[in-house]
Amino acid sequence: MQFQPFSQQHFITVLIGAAVVAGLLVAGKRGGTSRTLATATLAFLNLSAYPFNLAGWLMLDKPAPLDNLLPFHLCDIAAFTAGFALLTKRPILCALTYFWGLAATFQALLTPAISVGFPALAFFSFFIQHFAIVAAALYLPIVEGWRPKQPLWKSPFEVYKWSVAYLVFTLVVNRSLSTNFGFSMRPPENPSLLDHLGPWPWYLISMQAIGILVFFLLAIPLGTRSRN
């Protein structure tokens, strides 16, 4: 079945995912065994996202492009980062998870870059991965008490530098493999924010400017109680 953004299938999926995320946050806030299980579940979902995605694309009855076989999209890297952030609580991993999860992965749930719909495994793996990243991005400050560094600009700027490094990495890989990781060569086929940011390569500049702005805005609600 073909996936259509903003369809009934899309809305139902987002509602179910949001309910699961809320349930994990509630379980984490309860503490004790509930928190341990919620943390372990989120870490597992993030760290196992890539092999599940790979299995989903390989099970389709058509060849999968390298874009769907190699873990070089930002959300692939964000999933690994989120899993290890939950297990280690390292400040830089928590910061990357929070800012990437809410600034980028959340956008991917609103405008999914996927053409495969229910009940394909690739459909499930896509949404489970993206919801797991967003859940981790919320779980770290709400349940674990993570806070960005002070002064308030420090963590956003630190994550922005990693984001620029990722962009450079994708440009090199995409030129070498004729892929489109990070959508740094062209916007996704489905409608997205990139459609409104100008032609290539100008939309890359617009994307970076929006990214650093959103990072700073996301830091503001957490800036009053710094722990890292």
Side-chain angles (χ1 to χ4, degrees):
M1 182 177 178
Q2 188 81 6
F3 177 81
Q4 294 294 333
F6 314 118
S7 62
Q8 184 180 43
Q9 180 183 120
H10 185 190
F11 291 136
I12 292 174
T13 303
V14 168
L15 287 175
I16 294 173
V20 173
V21 170
L24 287 168
L25 294 174
V26 170
K29 290 293 287 183
R30 285 178 179 169
T33 303
S34 294
R35 177 170 173 173
T36 301
L37 289 175
T39 304
T41 299
L42 265 182
F44 171 78
L45 291 175
N46 278 287
L47 293 176
S48 64
Y50 170 62
F52 277 119
N53 268 332
L54 184 61
W57 288 108
L58 291 176
M59 287 179 62
L60 296 178
D61 57 359
K62 58 181 179 180
L66 282 176
D67 301 61
N68 295 326
L69 299 180
L70 299 176
F72 294 153
H73 277 296
L74 181 61
C75 290
D76 294 321
I77 297 172
F80 287 118
T81 302
F84 286 113
L86 288 162
L87 294 176
T88 67
K89 310 300 188 297
R90 291 191 62 180
I92 182 57
L93 298 181
C94 293
L96 290 169
T97 300
Y98 177 74
F99 290 107
W100 280 351
L102 297 186
T105 306
F106 183 76
Q107 171 68 26
L109 288 171
L110 299 180
T111 56
I114 185 174
S115 59
V116 181
F118 179 88
L121 178 60
F123 166 83
F124 285 103
S125 64
F126 176 91
F127 280 101
I128 290 173
Q129 175 190 25
H130 288 73
F131 271 112
I133 297 169
V134 172
L138 295 171
Y139 193 92
L140 289 167
I142 293 174
V143 177
E144 300 291 347
W146 170 83
R147 293 294 181 270
K149 295 177 180 178
Q150 293 291 342
L152 194 57
W153 54 265
K154 195 168 185 179
S155 287
F157 186 65
E158 193 172 31
V159 173
Y160 176 71
K161 289 191 293 183
W162 280 99
S163 302
V164 172
Y166 169 75
L167 174 61
V168 173
F169 168 77
T170 62
L171 289 171
V172 173
V173 171
N174 289 336
R175 288 291 186 183
S176 303
L177 301 179
S178 299
T179 49
N180 191 30
F181 292 113
F183 305 114
S184 61
M185 305 305 293
R186 61 187 178 278
E189 294 182 5
N190 288 351
S192 73
L193 176 64
L194 299 185
D195 297 331
H196 307 283
L197 300 182
W200 188 94
W202 303 112
Y203 77 78
L204 298 179
I205 299 173
S206 302
M207 185 169 60
Q208 294 300 308
I210 292 174
I212 189 63
L213 175 62
V214 174
F215 289 166
F216 278 113
L217 292 176
L218 288 171
I220 292 173
L222 304 181
T224 57
R225 289 165 41 204
S226 176
R227 288 184 53 172
N228 293 316

